[in-house]
Amino acid sequence: MNGPHDLGGQMGFGPVAPEIDEPVFHADWERRALGVTIATGAFGAWTIDESRHARESLHPATYYSASYYEIWIRALEVLLARHDFVSFDELEAGHSISQGATPKRVLASGDVAAVLAKGAPCDREVSTPPRFRPGDRVRTINEHPPGHTRLPRYARDKLGVIEAVRENFVFPDTNAHGRGEAPQRVYTVCFDGRELWGQGADPALTVSIDAWESYLEPA
Amino acid sequence: MSHDHHHHDHPHDNELDPFAARVKALETILTEKGLIDPAAIDAIVDTYETKVGPRNGARVVAKSWIDPEFADWLKRDATAAIASLGFTGRQGEHMQAVFNTEDTHNLIVCTLCSCYPWTVLGVPPVWYKAPPYRSQAVINPRGVLAEFGLVLPQETRIRVWDSTAELRYMVVPMRPAGTEGLGEDALAGLVTRDSMIGTGLALAPGSAAPADAGVGA
């Protein structure tokens, strides 16, 4: 979706603000926000794609005025309510009112190290051969789906070159909406800076994205 | 962001700021329902605060500088090469190492969210996740680098990697001059977090330990 998250090439946000000796967390609630987000992700009730879509679906005014972990928590509340684990009444009250749904698993402290070390690889088997090869010229599609997509706006309807053929990854556009993993080949696609940003672009700039096969057409 | 610091000057030390209270309420509800184990939250936080950080990545880079076979493996199959040093898991399932050269400087970003190689760099800094960096890194990377104090020659090619899928990138900075006699540990001390994002270079020998050294594993 053309949401507030799709930031590539936008202007007006001011300078980057690196912080000397930045701590891992700036407040204790950020620690808990990270921990709760990962622990509830272990329920297996939603995918990383659904959680990304919940974040990008926040109102732009909320998204831009929220710190990053705040974005996470606001989206997590939506996910927990959508999947009947927690109701908005409970969030308002600050206490459990009724039991709600039961997750496939609850992450026990003794399992944390193994679960984090295992991660969640998203490569899958696909029987069809890759449609493109390194060096092929491609054009990205020009679509503006209302649902989740990982093709950023700045890289739509642009000419690029396939640099590398990657693994087959779960397709976010379907997976975010419970419509299946539908894995596809992913390619690293390179764009000349001037193709993306016009003649005023830095002539020594190349930008790449990782694009699912259905984002690409031969050029 | 400034918003994170409201609690510091709150007049009542025992009160939570509104968002801290909101997170606390959520954790309370989930705990009452038996949906989370607070000790598991502690273990997750401890992992990313004290065990996983940029020192992991620095070890990968230092080894690639002194071991050509490892460097070649890192180029071909970064996930396996990095796993051989014990760094595996969440947000490092599919890794790609990109090597700076005399001609080309690499920079990583996630314009769509905050994708970042947690297994080698830890959780990302606030600026990496915030709009100024995500918006400008793909359109004006030279300007972004200058904000970090890194001014590259105009002819140096800049290659930006937007992490739009599940590949996670780490930059392998060039080995600084004058480091021929240094061992792996000393070399790792020259590798900063920012040099592995591409917003900095590896430090010259004799420099102070990097301020962003973070934690080891």
Side-chain angles (χ1 to χ4, degrees):
Chain A
M1 67 178 284
N2 295 343
H5 66 297
D6 191 352
L7 282 162
Q10 285 202 53
M11 295 173 185
F13 288 105
V16 180
E19 187 181 355
I20 304 297
D21 294 329
E22 180 174 343
V24 177
F25 299 102
H26 288 76
D28 191 55
W29 72 262
E30 293 191 344
R31 293 183 176 83
R32 308 315 285 178
L34 174 92
V36 168
T37 302
I38 292 177
T40 51
F43 290 176
W46 52 80
T47 63
I48 190 168
D49 300 305
E50 185 177 347
S51 63
R52 285 187 184 131
H53 185 59
R55 292 168 194 164
E56 71 199 27
S57 297
L58 294 173
H59 190 285
T62 301
Y63 189 96
Y64 292 135
S65 60
S67 70
Y68 207 77
Y69 288 116
E70 182 177 338
I71 291 171
W72 278 25
I73 288 296
R74 287 178 180 275
L76 180 59
E77 291 170 350
V78 171
L79 293 169
L80 288 165
R82 180 185 298 164
H83 293 272
D84 290 329
F85 294 111
V86 171
S87 69
F88 287 111
D89 285 346
E90 289 174 314
L91 292 169
E92 186 70 26
H95 286 284
S96 171
I97 295 170
S98 59
Q99 183 50 41
T102 302
K104 286 180 221 163
R105 72 185 81 84
V106 170
L107 183 60
S109 60
D111 295 333
V112 166
V115 166
L116 296 181
K118 182 163 175 267
C122 69
D123 54 321
R124 302 287 186 271
E125 289 292 320
V126 166
S127 56
T128 52
R131 189 179 177 197
F132 304 106
R133 299 169 145 200
D136 283 357
R137 287 168 56 79
V138 292
R139 183 179 285 281
T140 51
I141 59 172
N142 183 18
E143 285 186 6
H144 299 265
H148 186 59
T149 183
R150 294 290 286 181
L151 180 59
R153 257 180 295 181
Y154 76 85
R156 293 180 194 164
D157 197 21
K158 301 293 185 212
L159 284 169
V161 175
I162 301 285
E163 180 176 270
V165 184
R166 304 294 187 182
E167 296 145 290
N168 305 297
F169 286 157
V170 169
F171 188 45
D173 303 42
T174 52
N175 200 43
H177 303 286
R179 298 202 304 268
E181 293 192 332
Q184 292 183 13
R185 185 70 63 174
V186 168
Y187 303 86
T188 296
V189 183
C190 286
F191 304 96
D192 187 277
R194 286 162 297 198
E195 171 69 10
L196 298 176
W197 311 115
Q199 289 308 308
D202 189 327
L205 170 63
T206 304
V207 178
S208 68
I209 63 168
D210 291 319
W212 278 261
E213 195 163 82
S214 62
Y215 296 166
L216 304 173
E217 295 290 346
Chain B
M1 293 185 177
S2 60
H3 158 148
D4 293 331
H5 298 289
H6 282 182
H7 67 289
H8 291 312
D9 49 23
H10 197 284
H12 306 291
D13 287 346
N14 294 324
E15 286 188 21
L16 294 170
D17 79 25
F19 210 81
R22 187 165 173 164
V23 175
K24 181 78 179 164
L26 180 60
E27 188 175 351
T28 300
I29 297 163
L30 292 166
T31 304
E32 286 173 354
K33 292 182 172 220
L35 295 176
I36 58 170
D37 170 2
I41 309 296
D42 295 340
I44 293 166
V45 172
D46 181 61
T47 300
Y48 292 109
E49 194 152 32
T50 70
K51 295 187 171 69
V52 179
R55 292 302 86 202
N56 292 359
R59 286 189 54 200
V60 173
V61 171
K63 188 169 178 62
S64 78
W65 283 346
I66 60 169
D67 181 344
E69 276 185 33
F70 182 78
D72 185 55
W73 189 15
L74 190 61
K75 262 180 202 156
R76 283 184 288 107
D77 186 351
T79 312
I82 292 167
S84 77
L85 300 182
F87 311 135
T88 61
R90 191 182 174 87
Q91 294 302 308
E93 296 93 339
H94 310 283
M95 289 292 305
Q96 174 76 38
V98 293
F99 290 67
N100 285 348
T101 66
E102 292 290 346
D103 302 328
T104 301
H105 183 86
N106 294 283
L107 181 69
I108 62 174
V109 64
C110 175
T111 63
L112 296 174
C113 44
S114 60
C115 296
Y116 191 76
W118 289 18
T119 48
V120 283
L121 292 182
V123 294
V126 167
W127 59 258
Y128 184 87
K129 302 178 284 193
Y133 183 76
R134 287 164 53 193
S135 60
Q136 291 298 296
V138 286
I139 187 171
N140 182 24
R142 231 177 266 276
V144 168
L145 295 180
E147 288 173 16
F148 283 86
L150 177 57
V151 178
L152 298 173
Q154 281 301 318
E155 61 272 21
T156 301
R157 294 201 61 79
I158 299 185
R159 173 63 195 279
V160 180
W161 302 77
D162 190 356
S163 314
T164 54
E166 301 301 339
L167 284 161
R168 296 290 169 267
Y169 296 94
M170 69 176 292
V171 176
V172 179
M174 282 193 294
R175 181 171 176 168
T179 57
E180 293 73 17
L182 296 184
E184 198 170 322
D185 286 349
L187 289 170
L190 303 176
V191 182
T192 65
R193 178 198 66 198
D194 286 8
S195 73
M196 294 181 281
I197 299 173
T199 53
L201 303 177
L203 301 174
S207 303
D212 63 12
V215 291

